[in-house]
């Protein structure tokens, strides 16, 4: 009798393992009528409704990506080689350049491939890896912008205490906290979408694995992951923007209290580059998120996709231009490095 009971248990466990996907589907509220198969690959269509513009988009994105790589690599090289650029602002700028390279490199090469050759296939794991890097990179970037705003506040409002406040230990703590916050907030989002059951189409109406576009393909309700995305991004971006606004409000009050016009202009010029970078990052990003969430029935799909694409390529392209041209110290160091390299190349050529 014990043998019969054991055989029945083994048979039951085998039956449960074979039909575990069906059980999951029932728990998710899906009318189960076949085995849910996870797709091996997804297919990214690019810009839905604008196939005639794909070649021009490939050229434009390729040019912007090249500028992004060259500009951010140049800034990282200059800061790394020049020991006089060890102030907190330049350390944060170094990390920002590295994050910009990661953010652009996670999506732009695949976009260019889609727009130029039509090769939109991407494996299941690669899709969610791309999604994860996009989420973490964008979250780290907003944290770095907050740290740079704090740096400007201390430099202008408390110049005599600058080195005592912004110590290397505090900078390390801020960098680690920014990274941990990004991982804690963004890991659940990619996990939630990747564990949805996919049993229908594998065609993603986007040019990269944007989570809402991928979640729409699931056989379960994508609302939890979409809601988590909006709430999480609103908390992170909202708190960062609030603190940045407070910092610049205090900076403007301090600048207006300066007696020297030259000092006022210098302080405003320094803050102007930071404000430009923040506008380039937050405006397209917030427009992309809230149009996708609130205006999905009124805004054409190609507009939503274009906004999401520009959000990931505009900041990495223009950040090095703004900081390289607006900061006199960086301008001198970049020019010195370029002339030195050109001089060495001319000596080798001769």
């Amino acid at each position: 009798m014990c043998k019969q009971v054991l055989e029945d248990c083994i048979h039951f466990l085998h039956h449960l393992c074979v039909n575990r996907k069906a059980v999951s589907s029932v728990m998710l509220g899906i009318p189960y009528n076949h085995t849910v198969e996870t797709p091996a690959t997804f297919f990214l269509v690019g810009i839905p409704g604008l196939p005639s513009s794909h070649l021009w988009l490939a050229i434009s994105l390729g040019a912007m990506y090249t500028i992004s790589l060259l500009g951010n690599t140049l800034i990282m090289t200059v800061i790394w080689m020049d020991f006089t650029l060890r102030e907190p602002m330049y350390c944060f700028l170094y990390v920002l350049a590295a994050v910009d390279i990661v953010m652009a490199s996670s999506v732009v090469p695949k976009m260019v491939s889609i727009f130029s050759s039509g090769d939109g296939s991407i494996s299941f794991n690669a899709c969610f890896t791309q999604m994860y890097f996009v989420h973490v990179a964008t979250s780290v970037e907003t944290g770095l912008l907050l740290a740079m705003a704090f740096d400007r506040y201390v430099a202008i409002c408390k110049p005599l205490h600058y080195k005592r406040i912004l110590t290397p230990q505090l900078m390390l703590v801020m960098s680690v906290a920014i990274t941990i916050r990004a991982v804690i907030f963004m890991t659940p989002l990619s996990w939630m979408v990747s564990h949805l059951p996919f049993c229908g189409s594998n065609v993603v109406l986007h040019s990269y694995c944007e989570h809402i576009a991928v979640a729409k393909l699931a056989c379960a309700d994508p609302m939890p992951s979409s809601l988590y995305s909006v709430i999480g991004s609103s908390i992170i971006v909202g708190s960062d923007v609030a603190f940045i606004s407070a910092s610049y409000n205090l900076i403007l009050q301090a600048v207006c209290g300066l007696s020297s016009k030259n000092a006022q202009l210098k302080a405003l010029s320094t803050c102007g580059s930071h404000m430009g970078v923040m506008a380039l990052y937050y405006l397209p990003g917030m427009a992309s998120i809230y149009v996708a969430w609130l205006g999905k029935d009124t805004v054409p799909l190609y507009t939503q996709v274009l906004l999401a694409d520009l959000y990931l390529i505009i900041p990495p392209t223009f950040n090095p231009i703004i900081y390289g041209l607006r900061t006199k110290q960086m301008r001198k160091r970049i020019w010195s490095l370029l002339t030195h390299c050109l001089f060495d190349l001319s000596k080798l050529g001769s």
Side-chain angles (χ1 to χ4, degrees), residues 8-9 19 49 54 58 67 87 103 108 129 140 143 153 162 165 197 222 229 242 263-264 273 301 303 305 314 334-335:
D8 290 342
C9 289
N19 293 281
H54 278 190
I67 294 171
E87 296 178 17
M103 187 163 69
V108 178
T129 300
V140 169
Y153 161 73
Y162 182 79
I165 295 174
S229 169
Q264 289 181 348
S273 60
L301 182 58
T303 302
V305 175
I314 285 179
I334 290 172
W335 179 249

Side-chain angles (χ1 to χ4, degrees), residues 204-215:
V204 181
L205 298 177
H206 217 288
S207 49
Y208 67 92
C209 287
E210 195 267 342
H211 73 274
I212 294 178
V214 175

Side-chain angles (χ1 to χ4, degrees), residues 56-73 100-101 103-105 108-109 111-112 115 280 284 306-321:
W56 294 108
L57 286 168
I59 296 171
S60 302
L61 287 173
M64 294 174 74
Y65 182 57
T66 302
I67 294 171
S68 172
L69 285 182
L70 292 176
N72 286 296
T73 302
D100 278 341
I101 290 175
M103 187 163 69
S105 299
V108 178
M111 286 183 190
V112 173
F115 296 144
L280 285 173
L306 276 173
L307 279 173
D309 292 349
L310 293 175
Y311 164 54
L312 296 179
I313 188 60
I314 285 179
T317 302
F318 288 96
N319 284 356
I321 296 174

